[in-house]
Amino acid sequence: MIGDVLVVVGVGGMGEAIARRLGSGRPVVLADHDDARLQALASAMRRQGHDVRDHAVDVSDRGSVRDLAQFAAGLGPVTAVAHTAGLSPAQASAERIAAVDLVGMAISLDEFGEVIAPGGAGIYIASIAGHIFRDAVDSATAATFATAPAEDLAEVGLLSMPDVPADLARAMTYGYAKRANQIRVQAQAPRWGDRGARVNSISPGVVATPMGWDEYEAEFAHDAYKSMVNDNAAGRFGTAEDVAAAADFLLDNTKASFISGVDLLVDGGTLAGIGTGRVSMGPAETSA
């Protein structure tokens, strides 16, 4: 099959939902570090009629991401990139969260910014945590997040927390990383625009994916997550399909052709609830 290429980096719940929603009738490149998960989804989608290529990637390694971008570009014009790869505080160390969620996303923006086709678009998954941490990031740090080389970002004070409990260190690193994602996408939008392309971020609230459940059930943040789900305006978990619908809109160069460099909050009104006190973050206020 020859056609515009969709690349999905990270094949967890959100990545799978995006691939299925947007993948019909076009080449789809699925990429992940977890080979078993990658092969399972690729095989299932092929059996359902999709033109799928799988490609292993370590988003924290520039060479690996560059190989992926070049592989995708070799199949045809890359017109849609959905970067969903990430680790949560319940899943990894602060160092690994910084490597994947912060450095990895910045590398992906760089490398796919070199191959994205005119008329194409990218979406990068951030988090409501980035909004919660907005005031914690001063202007100097924000400028560094926007402009520093990707591989240097993990050194921006995120891991220098020797007196902070491990749970809180992971949560703080995650929050700073997701704020950095929002800032970095905005900063990269003009560069993508030079190629006639757009790029935006999406910040989900608590979404009922395996990662979302890991966070919801983590003891150190359970009360906050329970309120974020039960007390938001929608009164429910988000779904991977909610995020895929937002990605579908932002990647559509007819519906969203004048939208670039923005963050779309897909949280069922959770942040609004935090602002009014309806959603209670309790002692875990900076660990969403």
Side-chain angles (χ1 to χ4, degrees), residues 169-194:
R170 292 195 300 269
M172 290 174 66
T173 299
Y174 180 80
Y176 278 111
K178 293 304 181 179
R179 179 63 187 138
N181 294 166
Q182 297 162 352
I183 292 168
R184 192 79 172 193
V185 164
Q186 185 178 50
Q188 286 290 311
R191 175 171 168 260
W192 282 53
D194 289 342

Side-chain angles (χ1 to χ4, degrees), residues 26-115:
R26 67 195 305 180
V28 179
V29 177
L30 300 177
D32 203 286
H33 186 59
D34 184 331
D35 187 64
R37 182 168 63 183
L38 175 62
Q39 295 300 327
L41 179 59
S43 177
M45 288 187 66
R46 289 188 193 106
R47 289 180 64 85
Q48 293 158 359
H50 294 276
D51 178 19
V52 172
R53 321 295 170 88
D54 55 88
H55 198 287
V57 68
D58 176 356
V59 297
S60 67
D61 179 83
R62 184 175 294 275
S64 180
V65 179
R66 181 171 294 162
D67 287 346
L68 171 64
Q70 294 298 325
F71 172 79
L75 299 175
V78 177
T79 57
V81 177
H83 184 102
T84 74
L87 295 168
S88 76
Q91 295 178 315
S93 67
E95 291 82 0
R96 189 59 184 158
I97 291 169
V100 172
D101 294 25
L102 179 57
V103 175
M105 192 278 276
I107 289 173
S108 178
L109 271 169
D110 288 347
E111 296 302 326
F112 281 100
E114 294 292 330
V115 302

